[in-house]
Amino acid sequence: MNAPTPQIAPRATPLIDPFARPITYLRVSVTDRCDFRCTYCMAEHMQFLPKAELLTLEELERLCGAFVDLGVRKLRITGGEPLVRRNIMSFFEVMSRRLGQGLDELTLTTNGSQLGRFARQLADYGVRRVNVSLDTLDHDKFAAITRWGRLPQVLDGIAAAKAAGLRVKINTVALKGFNEDELFSLLDWCAGEGHDLTFIEVMPMGDIGGEDRLDQYWPLSDLRARLAERFTLTPLAERTGGPARYVRLEETGQKIGFITPLTHNFCESCNRVRVTCTGELFMCLGQEDRADLRSPLRDSPGDERLKDAIRAAIARKPKGHDFDYSRGVGGKMARHMSHTGG
Ligand code: SAM
Ligand code: SF4
């Protein structure tokens, strides 16, 4: 199937939150399950949600469609690992019909393990870019950090994405004592492959059993200073409405992103909300307030109740997040990243 041809369609006026921010970006977790067990993300023996609590693909399609009707222009599918959800390609097919019909971009964040199977279809369904998480290029370290993952499968997946014409952005979680020594090799590899690269500061999300994220915390201010020892960094004005900030390395022309929710406050330009795989709408990644969208989805065949619930929730989107390591456990979010979608 060919990618749908974008057509000019009247756009919905976006929802505006109490701080005058238009909400145009939705991230949706389509499953809490994953074929990896990254040490900073999950405990090895995770208790996953009962299947009946998950939204069906049809419910996810209705929900995403309602958000597009209400002015969302960018949809990012995440998880857990979105590509392990059964029949997820049918969901992408349905959502691809909204491209050019209110929706500007359909994209996903993945660990890359299933891209070998699905990259071509994703491209056919109008996906143009994909974020792939990759924290190391060392086989043993990859197996250690993901517990269940194997590096060659992910590298093959990334190659399949590139071959299918998808633009790849690599997301690397900066981990003290783990990938500090790979800063420049990751950079070189991305430059050689033509991939953008973004570093993420580890966030205090969910109990991961045993590990302490303060031990894993490598501040990006330090990472950036190390980059500046070798390269000239020019900050870029580019903003996505999210926590990422970008620089260009003048010597190579590479664009490097930094996601630093703990050391910077990026909330004033926030344009996004998140829906979990159970249909909970989180208006802020760093706050516990949420709205149940599963009941209005299940209780009513039409979308009006659902849309009313979305509007009511956006009307109480908070001004900013509440991450704070200094408050210890009190400042830690109880839910896992795989539940809300990273
Ligand atoms: N499974 C997919 C993947 O790994 O890309 C999508 C979901 S994953 C939860 C999304 C992103 O969140 C990944 O880039 C992952 O590295 C990041 N992540 C998970 N736990 C994190 C944490 N505690 N702090 C910072 N980033 C985290
Ligand atoms: Fe799975 Fe992604 Fe979490 Fe790793 S970061 S365990 S790949 S959901």
Side-chain angles (χ1 to χ4, degrees), residues 26-337:
L26 175 67
R27 300 169 73 104
V28 181
S29 172
V30 295
T31 177
D32 62 332
R33 287 164 170 77
C34 187
D35 51 347
F36 291 2
R37 292 288 181 280
C38 301
T39 58
Y40 49 77
C41 178
M42 293 189 184
E44 180 152 23
H45 302 289
M46 280 286 286
Q47 196 64 46
F48 291 113
L49 295 161
K51 287 238 164 80
E53 287 195 22
L54 301 191
L55 297 186
T56 65
L57 290 180
E58 291 70 26
E59 287 167 342
L60 282 164
E61 288 158 15
R62 266 182 68 201
L63 184 137
C64 293
F67 271 99
V68 175
D69 289 345
L70 293 173
V72 158
R73 293 175 191 167
K74 177 171 172 180
L75 189 57
R76 177 175 296 280
I77 308 308
T78 179
E81 174 46 42
L83 297 181
V84 302
R85 172 99 196 222
R86 190 192 299 231
N87 285 334
I88 192 66
M89 285 304 115
S90 72
F91 170 83
F92 277 97
E93 181 181 13
V94 169
M95 291 321 300
S96 75
R97 295 184 203 136
R98 302 300 301 259
L99 283 167
Q101 306 291 328
L103 189 62
D104 294 337
E105 186 170 18
L106 175 61
T107 186
L108 71 154
T109 299
T110 171
N111 66 23
S113 70
Q114 309 302 314
L115 278 175
R117 286 164 67 198
F118 293 131
R120 172 60 55 192
Q121 267 176 290
L122 288 168
D124 285 346
Y125 294 144
V127 174
R128 294 287 164 258
R129 301 192 294 171
V130 57
N131 286 1
V132 184
S133 305
L134 180 66
D135 302 325
T136 172
L137 290 167
D138 178 283
H139 289 235
D140 294 338
K141 281 162 76 177
F142 188 87
I145 198 80
T146 62
R147 292 199 186 99
W148 296 3
R150 296 297 168 259
L151 183 62
Q153 188 181 350
V154 169
L155 294 181
D156 288 351
I158 293 171
K162 189 174 162 182
L166 301 181
R167 201 154 168 80
V168 175
K169 179 161 78 72
I170 301 295
N171 281 340
T172 300
V173 178
L175 296 162
K176 189 162 83 182
F178 178 77
N179 54 12
E180 283 174 275
D181 57 340
E182 288 191 76
L183 176 59
F184 295 107
S185 46
L186 277 162
L187 217 62
D188 287 348
W189 180 77
C190 285
E193 294 291 323
H195 305 322
D196 288 329
L197 175 60
T198 288
F199 293 100
I200 307 176
E201 224 164 44
V202 77
M203 288 186 261
M205 307 283 293
D207 182 16
I208 47 168
E211 318 256 348
D212 183 348
R213 285 200 189 72
L214 282 176
D215 291 344
Q216 301 176 317
Y217 183 54
W218 177 18
L220 292 195
S221 50
D222 181 63
L223 186 154
R224 195 179 163 132
R226 287 200 214 175
L227 275 182
E229 287 170 14
R230 202 174 293 190
F231 297 102
T232 313
L233 275 50
T234 305
L236 300 176
E238 184 175 329
R239 296 282 187 271
T240 56
R245 293 292 176 265
Y246 298 94
V247 299
R248 187 174 52 240
L249 307 186
E250 290 304 335
E251 289 76 3
T252 66
Q254 262 174 297
K255 191 174 88 172
I256 306 296
F258 302 97
I259 299 184
T260 55
L262 300 174
T263 46
H264 282 283
N265 202 308
F266 48 80
C267 304
E268 70 286 348
S269 59
C270 184
N271 60 354
R272 61 199 56 198
V273 291
R274 293 171 167 78
V275 173
T276 68
C277 50
T278 57
E280 286 179 304
L281 172 63
F282 280 89
M283 286 71 85
C284 172
L285 180 63
Q287 298 275 3
E288 289 293 356
D289 187 25
R290 67 197 79 176
D292 168 37
L293 299 183
R294 191 175 58 190
S295 304
L297 261 171
R298 291 195 173 165
D299 293 351
S300 158
D303 289 343
E304 267 327 298
R305 278 195 53 203
L306 173 63
K307 288 181 181 172
D308 285 346
I310 294 171
R311 287 190 196 96
I314 299 298
R316 56 174 213 266
K317 183 169 159 66
K319 190 167 183 201
H321 69 67
D322 195 24
F323 288 125
D324 185 358
Y325 274 120
S326 64
R327 290 193 289 131
V329 177
K332 187 173 114 169
M333 306 306 297
R335 62 187 190 271
H336 285 90
M337 193 74 126

